[in-house]
Amino acid sequence: MRNMISALIVIGSCFLATSGSAQRIDCQVFAEPFVSSAHAQTVDWQKVDDTLGRKPAVSGDVHRYGFPRSDLVVTLDGVTIKPALALGGWVAFKPMHDGVMAMGDLVLLESEINPVMLKMIANGLQITAVHNHLLGASPATFYMHVAGHGDPVQIATAIRDALAESKTPLTAAAPAASPPAIDLDTDQLDQIIGVKGQANGGVYQFNVPRRDPITADGMTLTPVGPMGVAIGINFQPTGGGKAAITGDFVLTNGEVNPVIMALRTHGIEVTALHSHMLDEQPRLFFMHFWANDDAIRLAKGLRAALDMTASRRS
């Protein structure tokens, strides 16, 4: 209740403001966290959890549900890809004034794309992109980006019903008793990339935020990692100090070709370039990459590419 009162006070001040549109816009940005927090308290998250059959990772007001393709055995360049490296589908829910904003990235086989898409459309969800992330993987995997607005339980039901058209596991697997070790010099990787990484399912992951805010449908997409708009970099150890790397750079148009040049100069393949959303501001492009080589050498190449972007170091 305190958050809602604070939001109403701030929003009321905005309506009373008469000094121009710039002041009103500033008020909206200031009020947004209070409004989002107030609405988060009204969402019955237990019903969403029960519908999706799993617990979320919660960051701020965002609830992110993972749908890893643990049922698939995908190989590339002799590497068996762990779900956390490139097969980790997800859907994130962020409260807004009339329910939630939902965004997600689902991992599908080619034969699953159209059945899942048809069910999504029938249940009122938007398809915002369908594409590859990797090249030459066996079997080939594709990635469907989805979006929705409205009642969180209805959206969760639509996602569950659509994923039932695929072989995506709909029951969350029990966590491993002892997480796989990361056989890499993670301290040195942290230093090179410039942010602190996190181990997840045998993969060492980085989320590097951009400096400027990113909005969609008038809402700021925060936290950026859970909402899928941070630069993602993943290292999977492959032995002898080597690692398979993949992920995606989040780029404005002027950054695309400088990052391509930096990656290719350092022996890192560019495997995809595309959009993930339809109406974000600023307009963003997502660049996916792949290499399997000495982890430190690859980290330096990724750092060179990061230096071509408006990204933040911790």
Side-chain angles (χ1 to χ4, degrees):
M1 179 64 71
R2 186 179 298 115
N3 285 336
M4 180 64 80
I5 293 171
S6 300
L8 292 174
I9 291 172
V10 174
I11 294 170
S13 299
C14 290
F15 281 115
L16 292 173
T18 58
S19 59
S21 60
Q23 182 173 352
R24 288 195 293 274
I25 292 171
D26 288 343
C27 286
Q28 179 181 354
V29 171
F30 182 71
E32 182 180 293
F34 293 99
V35 175
S36 183
S37 176
H39 282 289
Q41 296 175 19
T42 68
V43 174
D44 188 340
W45 291 112
Q46 186 60 54
K47 286 186 178 179
V48 178
D49 297 354
D50 292 343
T51 302
L52 294 175
R54 63 206 63 224
K55 291 292 185 182
V58 180
S59 299
D61 64 344
V62 172
H63 288 228
R64 176 167 163 143
Y65 297 83
F67 293 93
R69 290 305 299 262
S70 54
D71 60 308
L72 298 177
V73 178
V74 179
T75 60
L76 175 56
D77 290 346
V79 178
T80 299
I81 295 173
K82 294 182 182 296
L85 182 68
L87 303 174
W90 57 273
V91 178
F93 290 72
K94 182 177 178 68
M96 57 188 302
H97 60 87
D98 56 353
V100 297
M101 165 194 287
M103 297 173 57
D105 182 9
L106 307 175
V107 184
L108 302 171
L109 296 175
E110 183 175 358
S111 61
E112 297 170 338
I113 292 172
N114 279 300
V116 170
M117 181 184 290
L118 289 172
K119 186 66 75 171
M120 289 277 186
I121 293 170
N123 288 331
L125 297 183
Q126 292 183 322
I127 309 301
T128 61
V130 179
H131 45 232
N132 69 293
H133 287 181
L134 304 173
L135 295 175
S138 179
T141 52
F142 297 86
Y143 301 79
M144 181 182 292
H145 293 264
V146 300
H149 301 85
D151 180 80
V153 176
Q154 290 181 7
I155 292 174
T157 301
I159 291 165
R160 181 199 63 203
D161 291 350
L163 285 176
E165 299 294 317
S166 72
K167 292 185 179 179
T168 302
L170 296 181
T171 301
S178 56
I182 304 294
D183 185 21
L184 296 170
D185 186 344
T186 56
D187 289 340
Q188 191 170 359
L189 292 178
D190 291 348
Q191 183 178 6
I192 295 169
I193 299 299
V195 300
K196 176 66 177 173
Q198 297 290 331
N200 177 21
V203 175
Y204 201 61
Q205 300 181 323
F206 294 93
N207 279 306
V208 183
R210 294 186 57 83
R211 288 198 295 266
D212 299 325
I214 298 166
T215 64
D217 292 336
M219 288 193 67
T220 304
L221 299 182
T222 56
V224 290
M227 294 301 290
V229 289
I231 296 170
I233 295 173
N234 301 325
F235 287 75
Q236 178 179 314
T238 55
K242 293 184 176 183
I245 61 166
T246 191
D248 53 355
F249 279 80
V250 184
L251 307 170
T252 56
N253 62 338
E255 297 168 341
V256 168
N257 279 286
V259 169
I260 288 176
M261 291 295 295
L263 292 174
R264 295 304 298 128
T265 298
H266 290 85
I268 300 171
E269 297 178 9
V270 175
T271 58
L273 173 64
H274 45 231
S275 62
H276 285 182
M277 297 172 285
L278 298 178
D279 59 359
E280 76 282 2
Q281 293 294 328
R283 188 70 173 129
L284 298 174
F285 300 88
F286 294 76
M287 185 182 298
H288 299 266
F289 55 90
W290 171 267
N292 179 21
D293 207 335
D294 179 78
I296 301 304
R297 188 176 77 81
L298 292 176
K300 291 177 180 178
L302 292 166
R303 179 69 257 166
L306 285 168
D307 288 341
M308 299 294 105
T309 72
S311 57
R312 296 201 306 261
R313 294 195 193 200
S314 57

